[in-house]
Amino acid sequence: MAWMSMSMDGSGKVLNMLYKKSFSVFAAYIVMLSLLMAGAVSAASVQVSIGEYDAEVYKDSTFIVPVSVSVADGAGTVTVTIYPADGLGCDTCVRDIIFDAAGTRTVSFIVRADNTGTYENPFDVEASMSEAPITASAALGIVSVVEMPVWMLDFTSSKNTVSAGDTVLMTLSMSVTGPVASISADLDYPSYGWYLMSGNETYDIGEVTGTYSLSWMFRADAPSQSNDFSVDVISSDPAKHSSKTLSISGLQRASSSGSSSSDSDDDENIDNDTINISSEAPVTGKKEATIKTGLSQGIALENNAKLRNMLGEVFGMPAIDVKDMDSMLRNSKTIASHMQVERKVEVSSGRSYMRMSRQYEGNETITDFVIYDIVPKSFAQSAKDIKVTAPGAEVLIVEDDPEFAIIFSSLSPGETINIDYEVDAEVDADIVSSFSAEVYASAVGDSPACAQVITPARNFNTGECIEYPTPCDVPEGWDVVGSCAVVDADNISDEPQSEKGSIYKYMILVSLMGIIGMVIVLRRNKKKR
């Protein structure tokens, strides 16, 4: 019995040692697991900062405020909110950024300048993330909102009526209410019958404050009955486009039945040298005139509200702003540089016809191609008096004056379009040089008109990703992407980040309860022995 007692005592000691060792190993394992879990759910931190923005902006314009957000020790969705000062505003003031890992992302806000004034600390930015403290940042700079400078243009001529050999002085006068930078002026005048004696067709004026003037001297070698001159004035800061047009009447030399044959030949030669007027069929009185010209960049958008509204409907833009106009004008310039125009007027038997043929020589397809055509009143007093034939196009009346917008859904490289006008009256064929037209489009190739659509773009050299307010704001060297969020689809868990944190906390709690339970069991066993 003593032997058995000693054996039991020895066995108890052995068991006690085993319990202690098991407890130590298990406790160490639980502690390590708890530490790992605690490290895995360490609190994430969010930092936010405001980048550079324009210090001076014009009233009723917008400017971009870039915001940089950094996340450390965490992942999830960060909500960024901007709070503009009174007098400033934003249509989209809250943006979400998805972080699948720690890193830095940049998001841009479009801020409106609603009222003039000087704004110190013009806006605050707040960033928040689940299980992370809210971080706020204030803009410490100053934003000045000023009225946009206004310019007044006056385009005059020294004579309203000319005969062959007369000289005419034309003057452009400009008056601005504030500094306007990068101003240029382009002069357009009849291709036939006029000679530019002094002055340039294009002037790079630069910045103007106060008043400024330009002059051109012309000689009328063979003026038409109606001669239109126009000057286009464009600036970049602020972005403005204006045009002025004046018309000069030409006195036509009358021919008499008693004229000698040599005089008649001279008159005919003058006409042919001017705009190719011929009288091939004296029995029917048919006359023809043909002119071939290039196109100039469109400039009518700023001053013609009806045209803006009409193009806005065609292009699906409820309101066309300055950036939209700049985009359309860039498209207009691109198309004009790759298009030739031929106009032909035929007059016969109480009717007059004008055919306009346009061949597109570019390499990219044009989407929503629009011809804005201004018809001289000497051809028709009203748009309702003109029968317009344009196969495959929609014809809209912009003004009854008459002005038309002729819209084609697309125009392919090498394609030629024909548009015919017909009136029930005989006109002078030489008015062929008095027609004028501009072209617009929603896109040339992959270059869209700039609707206000947030466009994410990434610089793959640096990895930086920024969301720009329009496609046209994306700089060269950046690629448009679907989102600035970098997400690895193979590593995405189906569980939200908040659920993962809850699971980790639950595991830690269970581990601690296991340790407590083990301690209680070991103590009870020790008391029993």
Side-chain angles (χ1 to χ4, degrees), residues 213-431:
S213 64
L214 291 171
S215 295
W216 298 267
M217 181 67 75
F218 283 91
R219 185 181 68 228
D221 290 337
S224 301
Q225 182 177 2
S226 177
N227 307 269
D228 292 334
F229 296 76
S230 64
V231 61
D232 310 328
V233 182
I234 302 173
S235 69
S236 63
D237 186 17
K240 293 178 67 65
H241 310 271
S242 296
S243 65
K244 286 289 184 179
T245 301
L246 59 82
S247 182
I248 297 178
S249 301
L251 297 178
Q252 306 297 305
R253 286 182 300 171
S255 59
S256 64
S257 58
S259 300
S260 64
S261 59
S262 60
D263 290 340
S264 299
D265 290 341
D266 288 342
D267 288 347
E268 184 177 355
N269 289 336
I270 290 174
D271 287 342
N272 285 334
D273 289 341
T274 304
I275 51 173
N276 191 29
I277 297 178
S278 62
S279 299
E280 298 177 354
V283 176
T284 61
K286 179 179 179 180
K287 294 190 295 182
E288 295 183 359
T290 303
I291 184 172
K292 294 182 179 181
T293 63
L295 286 172
S296 300
Q297 175 185 350
I299 48 87
L301 279 179
E302 184 180 43
N303 298 322
N304 193 325
K306 286 188 176 181
L307 178 62
R308 279 200 308 274
N309 295 335
M310 189 171 292
L311 292 182
E313 293 181 4
V314 172
F315 297 159
M317 297 179 181
I320 295 179
D321 60 14
V322 173
K323 290 184 178 179
D324 295 330
M325 284 195 292
D326 287 342
S327 175
M328 292 181 188
L329 292 174
R330 283 196 298 269
N331 288 338
S332 176
K333 185 176 182 179
T334 299
I335 298 169
S337 64
H338 295 95
M339 183 169 284
Q340 295 294 321
V341 179
E342 178 180 290
R343 291 185 189 264
K344 181 177 181 181
V345 171
E346 294 184 358
V347 181
S348 177
S349 303
R351 291 179 177 271
S352 299
Y353 308 86
M354 193 285 298
R355 162 158 286 198
M356 175 172 54
S357 298
R358 294 176 177 238
Q359 182 177 12
Y360 175 50
E361 300 172 352
N363 297 320
E364 298 180 297
T365 299
I366 301 173
T367 304
D368 296 329
F369 176 59
V370 179
I371 300 173
Y372 169 54
D373 204 29
I374 303 174
V375 181
K377 294 181 75 67
S378 50
F379 184 80
Q381 292 294 316
S382 169
K384 299 175 183 178
D385 298 331
I386 304 174
K387 178 182 178 182
V388 182
T389 304
E394 180 183 7
V395 179
L396 303 177
I397 297 176
V398 181
E399 291 283 359
D400 189 57
D401 204 25
E403 298 175 9
F404 295 100
I406 304 170
I407 305 163
F408 295 82
S409 60
S410 65
L411 189 64
S412 302
E415 185 176 353
T416 298
I417 58 175
N418 294 313
I419 300 170
D420 296 322
Y421 293 165
E422 179 182 348
V423 294
D424 293 330
E426 290 194 1
V427 302
D428 290 332
D430 59 5
I431 67 168

Side-chain angles (χ1 to χ4, degrees), residues 2-18 529:
W3 177 82
M4 291 180 64
S5 178
M6 291 176 61
S7 298
M8 291 181 65
D9 290 340
S11 299
K13 291 180 180 180
V14 171
L15 290 173
N16 190 33
M17 291 176 62
L18 290 175
R529 293 193 296 271

